[in-house]
Amino acid sequence: GEHEMDVIENVFRRRMDHKGEPFGAVVHEKIHKSRDPATVERLKKDLAEKQGCNIYGSLASQKIAGNFHFSLHAHDFQVLASIFPTRHHANMSHVIRHLSFGKDYPGLLNPLDKESHIFKEKTGAAEYYIKVVPTIYHKLDRSVIHTNQYSVTDFFRTQLDGYPALYFVYDINPIMVHVTEWKVSFLHYFTQLSAIIGGICVVAGQVHRLMRFLFVGDKGGVKIPMQSPGPQG
């Protein structure tokens, strides 16, 4: 069966200018579909000014495979046809500033952070296939953070009909990872430092012996006798 959730209360959006800077009021309520000519003209003007949309927030879902996406499929086709002359004018270029599946912890890397895809000619569906790995992070104070890591592969699919969309398809890995925070004790640090110093001394000694062998003539401790010319009797 399908698992759908109304997440409008936790998702916010603002208008964004051509430089990528958000402006205007923050909107988090549903915007009802409208065929009002004034609304259509305003949207045409926004598109002509290369405005975009800044979307942020959080989603809560069960621990099952699913997806979330951004598309125009829910809107009236006649309204879309009056705004976009052709489907190629609907551009799904996007920049992902941050995407995580749970709380962050020190050293966590989210592969989709600062990911950008700019479509100048082609139009279609950008798809991200995400593998979510449940993770428990154990801190030094013995507290734990229940979160997730993830890996991702992306795919762009050219659409022959319909409008472009942006899909995030995720699946839950059955394996759980435990990450433990720890620090090196002073005794362990001192032991490592002593080993490094000892290694440096050994190498320096070998280099010194090699230099004596090449330039002084010290053949393993055997001295070469040297005779000076004297008067002949």
Side-chain angles (χ1 to χ4, degrees):
E2 295 184 355
H3 173 67
E4 298 182 356
M5 297 186 64
D6 186 1
V7 297
I8 198 66
E9 293 183 357
N10 299 320
V11 177
F12 307 89
R13 55 191 182 277
R14 295 179 66 184
R15 297 167 65 185
M16 190 168 57
D17 61 21
H18 67 283
K19 296 181 179 180
E21 297 295 332
F23 69 96
V26 176
V27 180
H28 67 276
E29 70 274 5
K30 288 184 177 180
I31 299 179
H32 299 284
K33 293 174 287 186
S34 174
R35 298 185 181 182
D36 180 17
T39 301
V40 174
E41 291 301 322
R42 181 181 62 81
L43 292 175
K44 288 183 178 180
K45 179 181 177 182
D46 293 343
L47 291 174
E49 296 176 354
K50 298 182 179 181
Q51 292 187 19
C53 186
N54 177 30
I55 302 175
Y56 61 96
S58 61
L59 312 177
S61 67
Q62 299 179 2
K63 293 183 178 180
I64 59 176
N67 75 87
F68 57 94
H69 58 273
F70 304 91
S71 67
L72 302 172
H73 301 156
H75 292 271
D76 190 286
F77 180 78
Q78 294 183 1
V79 175
L80 294 177
S82 61
I83 297 175
F84 302 103
T86 65
R87 63 182 178 85
H88 296 282
H89 289 79
N91 194 310
M92 289 302 294
S93 297
H94 57 277
V95 177
I96 304 173
R97 296 184 179 179
H98 176 72
L99 178 64
S100 61
F101 288 79
K103 297 180 179 179
D104 292 342
Y105 63 82
L108 176 63
L109 298 177
N110 297 307
L112 286 179
D113 284 2
K114 300 181 180 180
E115 182 78 9
S116 65
H117 284 273
I118 307 300
F119 307 116
K120 296 183 179 180
E121 297 179 358
K122 296 181 179 180
T123 183
E127 301 172 352
Y128 295 96
Y129 294 93
I130 301 171
K131 198 72 173 181
V132 180
V133 181
T135 303
I136 298 180
Y137 183 81
H138 301 266
K139 301 177 68 175
L140 284 175
D141 58 4
R142 297 186 179 182
S143 61
V144 296
I145 299 176
H146 293 269
T147 183
N148 299 279
Q149 305 178 64
Y150 69 89
S151 60
V152 62
T153 56
D154 60 275
F155 179 73
F156 179 79
R157 175 167 50 87
T158 303
Q159 287 182 301
L160 298 178
D161 56 355
Y163 286 90
L166 176 60
Y167 289 92
F168 296 86
V169 183
Y170 60 89
D171 191 12
I172 309 298
N173 197 309
I175 300 176
M176 177 175 290
V177 175
H178 289 261
V179 180
T180 303
E181 185 180 39
W182 63 286
K183 65 179 182 179
V184 179
S185 64
F186 178 78
L187 180 61
H188 184 72
Y189 170 77
F190 181 77
T191 303
Q192 289 185 326
L193 181 62
S194 300
I196 294 174
I197 295 176
I200 294 175
C201 292
V202 171
V203 173
Q206 295 294 335
V207 172
H208 178 70
R209 287 187 178 184
L210 179 62
M211 294 298 102
R212 285 179 57 86
F213 179 83
L214 295 176
F215 299 104
V216 180
D218 189 354
K219 308 295 184 179
V222 179
K223 295 184 177 180
I224 301 176
M226 303 295 291
Q227 295 182 354
S228 59
Q232 300 293 329

